[in-house]
Amino acid sequence: MAVIDEDPIRRRGLRVVAALVSMTMALLVAGVTTTPATAVPVPQQDSFYQPPEGFETQELGTILRSREVQLAVLTVLPLSVRTWQLLYRSTDLFGQPTAAVSTVILPAGADPNRSRPLVSLQFYYDSASIACSPSFVLQQGAGLPGVEGIHSQSELIAIAALISQGWAISVPDYEGLDGHLAVAEEPGYMTLDGIRAAERFEPLGLDGANTPVALWGYSGGGMGSGWAAEMQPSYAPELNVKGAALGAPVSDVESLLHVNGSMFSSLIGIGVSSLYNAYPKFREATDQYLTPEGKALMNRTNSQCLPRNALTQMFTDYQRILTIPIAQYLALPEVREVFDATVLGKHTPTAPLFIYQGVLDEAVPIWTTDRLNQQWCADGASIVYKRDHLSEHLSLPSLGMADTFNWLKSRLAPDAPDQVGCRTENVVSMLADFNALLTQIEINLNATFGALGFPIGPRER
């Protein structure tokens, strides 16, 4: 007599075991080969990143230039996906025309004649240098300059998860061509215009503005996703945004000052150097009180990616680079105006939200995310907010990934029910749920397959 197993969790566990066996067999019978890649130039020397003359008159999201590229793990091991870069028209923080680049991805086995959801994945690349942008550091052939942005390689796990569902992906350089980290509104504009460009790009085969869209980002990427969620109702109301997942979003840049002198102190140097570049009045006011050491630090920070800045500025006391007390510096009108402008929460997203934060987070204070959740909820947003009591800033991207991914799947499912109201959950760990644990195993398997050059995701042709 046949036994029909109706337990979905057990069936899913069997699929995980089968995937483990399949991967083991594949590694035994197949060798991992790499093809030597031609070195690609850094963005500062790559004409692709320069917008053509007259681009300012084009519509928002217009594709100005495109090319097919090869993604690779650590710039060496090629990923079996279809990938292009799009240079597109966008808007800067002062409302002026500018351009940005997005990396758009399809599963290797995707049929471009089939429509599919699009996920805009905002990396936490956290640098004022354009050479640290995802569009460069993920390319095969980026070499040692690309490897300097090695922390972005961790985001390939999320890419593998999204590709496994057959979804299209947009990874925007949401800091733009000038490395504007932590500025107001601009990251949202560039993320949303990257979605517009992806929807117009014929090789992706998307259904235009009808395409179901989700946003996802952690830390700096959560901040970029937060600005996109806030600006979408007014800036890109035609987009069909089904949800936005924000992990430890940096909703108040000034709150990062609490890490001064700690192992995370580089976040101050990175944020201030970016604001120093982006806002002329902020720069003029800061220059009056920077020591020579401080000016050298700003210049050095602007030319390096997050890992090097984190190592060289660990435990730095930034008081020593100012000639006045930090509190007095923050009270300067030109400085106060910028810090106030960069606080999330002034606009309320209309798309459903999933926010997650580690209670023990040493970098992004939990109170800032609590406050953001309260502000948005009070103004009618729909939010599932998970406060993880086990994780801190560096562990939550891994421990919270599966639960977040499951939420994204629920939002992008056909005929997904509306998410109504606000709900806050205090959990020991977002990975403690058995369903999330199974999902994490699947995600890790897909990421391993992808890193070894095997195609992942559905085969549609």
Side-chain angles (χ1 to χ4, degrees), residues 37-42 74-76 136-147:
T38 303
V40 298
V42 293
L74 297 176
T75 78
V76 176
F136 175 66
V137 302
L138 295 182
Q139 282 193 74
Q140 186 179 27
L144 290 178
V147 173

Side-chain angles (χ1 to χ4, degrees), residues 256-262 264-265 268 315-319 326:
L256 297 180
L257 290 171
H258 82 100
V259 302
N260 190 38
S262 75
F264 288 95
S265 58
I268 298 175
F315 307 116
T316 296
D317 180 2
Y318 290 91
Q319 178 61 74
I326 290 178

Side-chain angles (χ1 to χ4, degrees), residues 47-318:
S47 61
F48 180 85
Y49 288 80
Q50 301 306 312
E53 186 176 349
F55 81 95
E56 299 91 345
T57 63
Q58 300 296 316
E59 291 183 357
L60 295 169
T62 296
I63 299 170
L64 306 173
R65 194 174 285 132
S66 65
R67 64 183 178 187
E68 191 161 7
V69 296
Q70 176 65 61
L71 297 193
V73 178
L74 297 176
T75 78
V76 176
L77 301 174
L79 296 175
S80 183
V81 292
R82 296 289 308 281
T83 310
W84 301 262
Q85 289 175 347
L86 309 178
L87 178 75
Y88 56 92
R89 156 77 155 87
S90 193
T91 305
D92 72 9
L93 70 163
F94 300 113
Q96 298 302 306
T98 189
V101 173
S102 183
T103 302
V104 295
I105 309 167
L106 267 186
D111 180 355
N113 296 314
R114 296 187 186 184
S115 60
R116 67 195 69 244
L118 171 70
V119 177
S120 184
L121 179 63
Q122 285 61 251
F123 278 23
Y124 48 87
Y125 59 109
D126 298 356
S127 172
S129 171
I130 189 176
C132 307
S133 301
S135 62
F136 175 66
V137 302
L138 295 182
Q139 282 193 74
Q140 186 179 27
L144 290 178
V147 173
E148 183 170 342
I150 190 171
H151 64 295
S152 290
Q153 298 291 321
S154 64
E155 303 263 21
L156 289 172
I157 300 176
I159 287 178
L162 300 174
I163 285 293
S164 73
Q165 299 301 301
W167 299 337
I169 306 172
S170 172
V171 182
D173 295 351
Y174 61 87
E175 295 177 17
L177 303 178
D178 298 308
H180 287 171
L181 169 69
V183 301
E185 300 185 356
E186 183 181 278
Y189 299 151
M190 294 188 173
T191 296
L192 295 168
D193 286 326
I195 293 170
R196 284 169 161 156
E199 291 180 346
R200 295 174 178 177
F201 189 56
E202 290 186 5
L204 291 182
L206 301 179
D207 191 19
N210 294 321
T211 302
V213 172
L215 306 165
W216 187 10
Y218 183 83
S219 190
M223 176 173 57
S225 300
W227 280 115
E230 280 205 3
M231 305 315 299
Q232 183 265 324
S234 60
Y235 185 78
E238 81 282 6
L239 296 181
N240 184 20
V241 180
K242 296 295 188 179
L246 318 178
V250 184
S251 60
D252 186 337
V253 176
E254 186 181 351
S255 71
L256 297 180
L257 290 171
H258 82 100
V259 302
N260 190 38
S262 75
M263 65 176 294
F264 288 95
S265 58
S266 64
L267 297 177
I268 298 175
I270 295 168
V272 172
S273 67
S274 176
L275 299 177
Y276 182 85
N277 288 343
Y279 294 93
K281 291 182 180 179
F282 183 97
R283 183 187 186 106
E284 291 172 9
T286 302
D287 272 339
Q288 296 180 51
Y289 303 103
L290 274 180
T291 66
E293 178 189 4
K295 292 181 180 180
L297 180 66
M298 291 294 103
N299 293 332
R300 187 167 64 251
T301 302
N302 283 334
S303 65
Q304 299 177 160
C305 295
L306 175 61
R308 188 182 298 188
N309 282 324
L311 289 173
T312 58
Q313 295 181 40
M314 194 176 293
F315 307 116
T316 296
D317 180 2
Y318 290 91

Side-chain angles (χ1 to χ4, degrees), residues 20 22 88 91 101 129-130 158-159 165 237 264 307 314 320 327 333 379 391 399 401 404 426 438 450:
L20 280 167
S22 297
Y88 56 92
T91 305
V101 173
S129 171
I130 189 176
I159 287 178
Q165 299 301 301
F264 288 95
M314 194 176 293
R320 77 183 193 211
D379 203 26
S391 301
L399 296 179
M401 179 176 290
T404 307
N426 286 283
L438 286 177

